[in-house]
Amino acid sequence: VLSAINQMIARERDIDRVFEEACRIAVEIGGFRMVWVGLNDPVLGELRPVAYAGVAGDYLQSVHISLNDDERGRGPTGIALREGRHVLCHNFATDPRMGPWRDRALGLGYHSSAAFPLIVAGTVRGAFTLYAGVAEFFNDQEVRLLDGLAADISFAMEAAEAETARQQATAQLLQSEARFSSIFHGSPLAIGIGSYAAGGALIEVNPAWLRL
């Protein structure tokens, strides 16, 4: 699973596709019952599902994981978000933290889970949560690998945001250059641009300068 997802991240630049493919690969190759990615929504005060794969039914429409320290924020995923660490649930039937979700989860065949925070620039931005069809599924070795997987997805998020910021900066620069060009060439005033590096020589003049 880790290898397949890392290969996908290396070639995929659309972060929404990264989320979708990571979930799909984890289900199809890893055999998880369901996997989903959620991102923090400060306006709603909840974790907003953005991608999933596997048997989900209407679970994600009703999961309502709170970003706050309340009943719906004290499950494994909510704790992972607030504390920035992986959190396991080894048995949905007996774990008291699963109260708000237990019946629906067991009805869909979820018996254990592992939630991993997605951390970008030191801030928890969401979670990657995996559900298994048997209790006591997650061992130390798997958790270490999944920690690395969550870190790789977080890196992809950071790279995507950096690329978006670069594109926005480029667009703003082009707009600024176009605005300057319009003013420079359309001004009725004679404008000349000199360069100290060129010994004070003019390097560009506008049409009004030429007419003058």
Side-chain angles (χ1 to χ4, degrees), residues 48-103:
R48 176 172 53 87
V50 295
Y52 80 95
V55 179
D58 64 349
Y59 188 78
L60 295 178
Q61 286 73 43
S62 59
V63 66
H64 299 303
I65 294 175
S66 172
L67 302 181
N68 303 311
D69 187 13
D70 52 32
E71 183 185 28
R72 300 194 75 90
R74 294 179 188 139
T77 302
I79 296 172
L81 290 172
R82 288 196 310 279
E83 300 186 5
R85 61 179 179 87
H86 68 251
V87 179
L88 310 179
C89 173
H90 291 295
N91 192 328
F92 275 31
T94 59
D95 192 324
R97 299 172 300 177
M98 296 305 300
W101 309 280
R102 180 180 290 109
D103 292 343

Side-chain angles (χ1 to χ4, degrees), residues 20 53 74 80 95 102 104 132 141-142 146-147 166 168 197:
E20 292 168 2
R74 294 179 188 139
D95 192 324
R102 180 180 290 109
R104 195 179 299 271
Q141 181 180 11
E142 286 172 346
L146 291 169
D147 270 330
R166 186 195 68 79
Q168 290 174 345

Side-chain angles (χ1 to χ4, degrees), residues 82-158:
R82 288 196 310 279
E83 300 186 5
R85 61 179 179 87
H86 68 251
V87 179
L88 310 179
C89 173
H90 291 295
N91 192 328
F92 275 31
T94 59
D95 192 324
R97 299 172 300 177
M98 296 305 300
W101 309 280
R102 180 180 290 109
D103 292 343
R104 195 179 299 271
L106 292 174
L108 289 166
Y110 308 158
H111 290 276
S112 58
S113 70
F116 298 84
L118 299 176
I119 302 173
V120 177
T123 301
V124 177
R125 301 285 294 279
F128 182 61
T129 305
L130 308 96
Y131 298 81
V134 296
E136 305 291 340
F137 178 83
F138 297 92
N139 60 39
D140 291 344
Q141 181 180 11
E142 286 172 346
V143 169
R144 282 195 298 272
L145 291 171
L146 291 169
D147 270 330
L149 176 55
D152 293 339
I153 295 173
S154 298
F155 176 79
M157 292 171 65
E158 190 165 358

